[in-house]
Amino acid sequence: MLVTSRFLSAVVVVAAATLASVAAQAFDRDITIDTQDGPRHALVVQAGGGPHPTVIVLHGALGSGTGTARTTGFAEAAARRDFTAVFPDGLDRQWNDGRTGKAGGPDDVGFIRMLVRQLVADHVADPRRIYLAGISNGGMMSFRLACKAPELFAGIGTVIANMPEGIVPCAARPVPVVMINGTADPMVPYRGGEVGLRGGRGRVWSVDKTAEFFAQRAGCGSRSAEALPHRDFASGTTVTQITWRNCKVNGGVSLYRVEGGGHALPGRRALAPRLLGASNFDIESADIILEAFDLDRPL
């Protein structure tokens, strides 16, 4: 039987893709950590052997670690930059982020501390370059961790999240911070106040107050605003990048203000846009955040 070179090339491509897929899956694993609140779980998408820069991604309320790995683009953005990505699960699909009016709850700060220790002990994470990224409730939890466990993290990235009002005092240290927020968010109000479509889910600072707080902590000087190229004409949204300059940290502090944006992850389709508002496709949230973390390289 005569086999053409084109057929052989196709076989080689398929085989290579299969091997790459198997190799990638070999580095993905679930880990379990015993805590005072019971067993806690996280999905680890490992960049390779030995310690790597690592981003811990916290899902939004009603989400999960696995779902966040599959749908948000953070796993892919991390892989492109040779980062390990970790996707833990909150108890009952939410995080105890410290908002006023939400007393009690699991010790999520303790859980993430234990998770970090495990990742370092297993030689998965480089302890100098462990970052946090969070969406909505997970973003608020990221701010809480920046305040209550600041020594663990080299940078923070959040999407559709503001600082919870209940976090006082806050011991945040100078780190790069990226925030992405929609001005028409009906769940987490841009100007701060009550969280939720009808309120009653605790209170948060405004976006501007949150960003200014971290810019001051990072020792930043002046700020500038720039309208980003507009590619997404269907949603009626645009993006303004506000950057604080002359900071003490690489990567600085940035706010991506989605003009007219709702409670949605830019770069991904909005869930229930009639209820939660429009998304935006001028930027990809995961890439924006991981790019800032990638700039934060040790000298």
Side-chain angles (χ1 to χ4, degrees), residues 16-275:
T18 302
L19 288 172
S21 175
V22 170
Q25 290 174 7
F27 285 108
D28 294 2
R29 63 190 179 97
D30 291 300
I31 61 175
T32 301
I33 296 185
D34 292 323
T35 74
Q36 66 181 23
D37 298 302
R40 305 291 300 268
H41 303 277
L43 171 67
V44 179
V45 183
Q46 196 167 339
H52 277 69
T54 297
V55 58
I56 298 174
V57 186
L58 305 182
H59 60 74
L62 304 182
S64 69
T66 300
T68 299
R70 290 175 177 170
T71 62
T72 62
F74 275 97
E76 295 84 352
R80 285 192 289 272
R81 293 167 174 82
D82 202 30
F83 274 59
T84 286
V86 181
F87 300 88
D89 288 324
L91 286 181
D92 297 323
R93 294 179 173 263
Q94 58 187 331
W95 300 101
N96 182 14
D97 58 31
R99 270 174 273 170
T100 52
K102 293 188 68 178
D107 181 10
D108 283 334
V109 173
F111 164 50
I112 299 298
R113 280 187 180 277
M114 295 175 71
L115 175 61
V116 168
R117 285 200 295 269
Q118 188 67 54
L119 293 169
V120 172
D122 289 347
H123 304 289
V124 170
D126 177 352
R128 301 168 301 169
R129 299 195 65 198
I130 300 175
Y131 304 89
L132 276 171
I135 302 164
S136 190
N137 172 215
M140 297 181 209
M141 186 67 207
S142 297
F143 287 137
R144 185 181 188 193
L145 287 160
C147 294
K148 302 305 180 185
E151 74 283 359
L152 298 180
F153 305 107
I156 307 292
T158 63
V159 188
I160 49 178
N162 307 358
M163 175 76 87
E165 273 195 2
I167 301 175
V168 177
C170 177
R173 64 189 182 94
V175 293
V177 174
V178 180
M179 296 175 59
I180 303 172
N181 292 81
T183 61
D185 189 333
M187 289 289 292
V188 182
Y190 191 92
R191 292 183 175 84
E194 293 277 345
V195 175
L197 292 173
R198 298 180 179 178
R201 296 189 180 182
R203 297 181 61 85
V204 293
W205 291 1
S206 70
V207 171
D208 291 339
K209 181 178 178 179
T210 304
E212 288 282 1
F213 172 82
F214 284 101
Q216 290 174 5
R217 287 299 172 104
C220 301
S222 61
R223 74 176 194 175
S224 61
E226 175 187 6
L228 297 188
H230 187 36
R231 304 181 183 91
D232 171 28
F233 295 95
S235 70
T237 65
T238 58
V239 180
T240 302
Q241 180 183 357
I242 301 170
T243 305
W244 282 260
R245 303 188 182 282
N246 304 316
C247 305
K248 296 178 181 177
V249 294
N250 294 331
V253 175
S254 295
L255 165 63
Y256 290 80
R257 186 175 66 204
V258 183
E259 316 288 355
H263 196 70
L265 187 73
R268 303 284 151 162
R269 289 189 178 277
L271 299 175
R274 292 185 179 181
L275 184 66

